[in-house]
Amino acid sequence: MNMLLAFATLAIILTTLALLRPVDHDESQYVAAALLTAHGLIPYQDFAYLQTPLQPYLFAPIALIAGAWTWPALRITNALLGTATIAAVHRAARIGSASTRAATIATALFATCDILLFSIGTARNDALPAACLALALPAIVRTARDQASRNDAILIGMLLAAAASAKISYALPALTYGIWTLFRADRRPWWTLLGALPFIALTTALFLQAPEGFLFGVIGFPGQAPTEWYQSRPWKLSNTAKIIDTLKFLALGPALLAIVATTGRRHRWHLILDLLIVAGLIAALAPVPTWRQYLLPVLPALFVRLALVWHAHPPGKAMRIAAIVFACAGLAPHDRGRRERPHPDARRDARHGRGA
C-alpha cells in the first residue's frame, strides 16, 4: 500500500511537471499524427510520419476524445507511461531478488535522470516504447532466473515488439532478446515470437500499403535530414561531439554513475540485462547527432542492474554522495527545451509562414 501511494504521488508530480514544461519543437508532428489517425487517415499513405506506426494508432482514441486538448492530453498520457516505466523497473529489481531498499533507491535515482524526465514530459514518441520495454523487464528477469511461464514469453514478445513498433531504435534491444532466447529452448523463443506477431503484422501491413512513404519516414528522412541541417555546423556530426553529448546527457542524472557502479559486477543470469543495455547504447549512438531521448532505451535495464549490484554490494559513503550530486544535476531547474530549439533560420521561416 505504501508503494502504491508513492507511485500515485509520483504520477501527480510527473503530470504536473509535464504540463509546466516548455513546448518542444518536435511535439507537433506526434500530436498531429494522433489527430489525423483519429480521423481515419493512414500514416505514410495519407501523411508523413517519421517513426514506426504504433503510437498514432494507440493514441488516436485519446485524440478523438480530447479534440482541441490533444496536446496536454498526450503530455499527461506520457507522464503516466513514465510512472509505469519507473514502477516496472522497481518490480523487475524485486523479482531479481534486490531488497526493497536497494530497489527503491535505484528506482528513485532512475526517476531523477534528465533523459527520462524530458522523454516523459513532452508529447513526443519516447514514453510509450520505454514503458513497453520496462514493462517487459519483470518477465525477462523471471526468464533469466528460469522461473518464467509460457504467458511470460508471449507477454515479452508483445511488449518488445510494441516498443519497436512505436520507435525504431527499440528494434535492436528487441532483436537482442529474441536472439538470446534461441540459445535455450526453455526460454520459449517461439512463444515469444507468437506474442510479437500482431505488432509485426501491423508494421508490415502499413509498409506494404505505402512502401515509399514508410521507408522515407522511418529510414530515409532520419538518416539524411541531420546531415543537411548541420551543414553549417559539421562539428555537431563528429564522433567527438557524439562522445561529449553522450557523456553530458548521461551525467545529467545518475545514469553515468550507474554505468560505473555496475561495470564488472554481475551474476550469471544478469547477462541479458547487460545485453539489453549494450543494445540500447548502440541504438542510441547510431543516429547523428545524439540527443538525450535516444539514450532512454539504455536506462530501464541499467537501473535494474544497479539495484541488484547495490543489494549485493551496498554503496559506500563516497558513492552515496556522488549519487545525490548526480540526482540533483538531473533535477536541477533549467529550460529543458533550450538545448534543442530550432535553428534560427527555422524560426525565421515560421514567422514568415515558410517551411513544412
Side-chain angles (χ1 to χ4, degrees):
M1 181 61 70
N2 289 339
M3 196 58 64
L4 183 61
L5 180 61
F7 283 116
T9 303
L10 179 64
I12 294 171
I13 293 171
L14 293 178
T15 299
T16 302
L17 291 175
L19 294 176
L20 293 175
R21 182 180 291 276
V23 176
D24 180 79
H25 67 278
D26 275 343
E27 291 182 90
S28 58
Q29 63 177 300
Y30 300 108
V31 175
L35 283 165
L36 292 170
T37 306
H39 288 88
L41 277 72
I42 299 174
Y44 316 116
Q45 175 180 290
D46 298 324
F47 62 92
Y49 186 64
L50 305 181
Q51 266 299 341
T52 40
L54 181 61
Q55 179 161 305
Y57 283 97
L58 287 187
F59 285 6
I62 299 171
L64 197 61
I65 294 170
W69 296 90
T70 296
W71 175 65
L74 294 188
R75 280 200 167 197
I76 292 169
T77 300
N78 281 347
L80 295 177
L81 286 169
T83 306
T85 301
I86 295 167
V89 167
H90 185 275
R91 178 62 180 157
R94 293 290 291 125
I95 290 174
S97 294
S99 65
T100 301
R101 175 182 171 83
T104 301
I105 291 173
T107 302
L109 291 174
F110 175 44
T112 67
C113 289
D114 180 66
I115 294 166
L116 173 72
L117 293 174
F118 170 77
S119 299
I120 66 176
T122 62
R124 292 169 42 88
N125 71 325
D126 305 302
L128 175 61
C132 291
L133 174 61
L135 289 168
L137 284 176
I140 289 174
V141 169
R142 280 194 292 269
T143 302
R145 290 168 60 85
D146 302 323
Q147 298 170 353
S149 66
R150 181 182 301 172
N151 289 339
D152 283 321
I154 295 173
L155 179 65
I156 293 168
M158 290 178 60
L159 288 169
L160 293 183
S165 297
K167 190 164 187 175
I168 189 65
S169 59
Y170 286 78
L172 186 55
L175 182 61
T176 298
Y177 179 81
I179 293 172
W180 178 78
T181 65
L182 293 174
F183 285 91
R184 276 178 41 183
D186 60 354
R187 293 170 183 164
R188 300 177 175 86
W190 304 117
W191 289 103
T192 303
L193 178 61
L194 179 65
L197 284 179
F199 298 101
I200 295 174
L202 170 66
T203 304
T204 302
L206 289 169
F207 165 73
L208 293 175
Q209 194 149 2
E212 291 184 3
F214 183 97
L215 292 174
F216 171 79
V218 177
I219 299 173
F221 182 87
Q224 181 180 354
T227 303
E228 296 179 355
W229 185 261
Y230 288 100
Q231 281 183 347
S232 62
R233 292 182 290 164
W235 183 84
K236 189 67 176 175
L237 303 177
S238 67
N239 289 331
T240 301
K242 182 181 289 292
I243 293 170
I244 292 173
D245 286 341
T246 300
L247 293 175
K248 174 183 67 178
F249 293 136
L250 290 171
L252 288 173
L256 187 60
L257 180 74
I259 291 173
V260 173
T262 57
T263 300
R265 291 181 172 182
R266 67 176 175 88
H267 190 276
R268 180 177 58 84
W269 71 263
H270 296 177
L271 174 63
I272 183 54
L273 297 177
D274 291 335
L275 292 174
L276 290 174
I277 293 166
V278 172
L281 189 59
I282 293 171
L285 296 179
V288 289
T290 296
W291 296 113
R292 52 187 158 183
Q293 64 270 16
Y294 296 175
L295 290 158
L296 185 55
V298 178
L299 300 191
L302 174 62
F303 281 91
V304 173
R305 283 278 284 114
L306 184 66
L308 298 173
V309 167
W310 278 3
H311 169 72
H313 309 279
K317 182 178 180 180
M319 182 64 75
R320 294 196 301 269
I321 293 172
I324 293 172
V325 171
F326 279 101
C328 290
L331 294 172
H334 58 90
D335 182 354
R336 298 181 186 273
R338 180 170 53 199
R339 290 195 297 272
E340 294 181 25
R341 284 177 179 169
H343 191 274
D345 290 343
R347 297 198 296 269
R348 181 198 62 207
D349 289 345
R351 285 196 298 270
H352 293 281
R354 298 193 296 269

